[in-house]
Amino acid sequence: QVQLVESGGGLVQPGESLRLSCAASGSIGSIVLMGWYRQAPGKQRELVASISSGGTTNAAESVKGRFTISRDYAKNTVYLQMNSLKPEDTAVYYCNLVRRLGILDFNTYWGQGTQVTVSS
């Protein structure tokens, strides 16, 4: 069993910053990657950023240059530093963890989500 708990969301004005945290606990095992997704009202859930076990990062074009993902494996925690926030960043942000069970077998886990609202 793996649990993911997000924190750090809130209401901010455009241009401000937030730092999201996601702490993983339980039988984490071999982590392939951790990442952040978001879902805005009326839209599909989309990848925001991810970081692999080797430290390789990936980010959506809409957030490149503004958001930075990082992790602290000792704490089983992944962070999302969100700078220069825009109203279009408003969404529920979900933490994601992919755990390897075998060569072609993986488990995915999701947090409950944390609301980020960017409004003036």
Side-chain angles (χ1 to χ4, degrees), residues 2-4 22-24 27-37 46-59 69-73 76-79 94-102 105-111:
V2 174
Q3 296 83 38
L4 302 174
C22 173
S27 301
I28 299 172
S30 180
I31 299 174
V32 176
L33 61 82
M34 294 184 72
W36 290 93
Y37 288 71
E46 64 176 355
L47 173 69
V48 178
S50 65
I51 184 166
S52 74
S53 60
T56 300
T57 60
N58 186 38
I69 190 169
S70 62
R71 81 277 189 260
D72 184 339
Y73 284 137
N76 296 130
T77 301
V78 64
Y79 306 94
Y94 298 91
C95 180
N96 169 258
L97 182 152
V98 179
R99 179 169 69 100
R100 181 186 295 278
L101 299 178
D105 194 11
F106 304 89
N107 275 359
T108 61
Y109 303 90
W110 296 92

Side-chain angles (χ1 to χ4, degrees), residues 12-32:
V12 297
Q13 296 184 10
E16 294 184 341
S17 299
L18 284 174
R19 189 190 191 211
L20 305 183
S21 298
C22 173
S25 62
S27 301
I28 299 172
S30 180
I31 299 174
V32 176

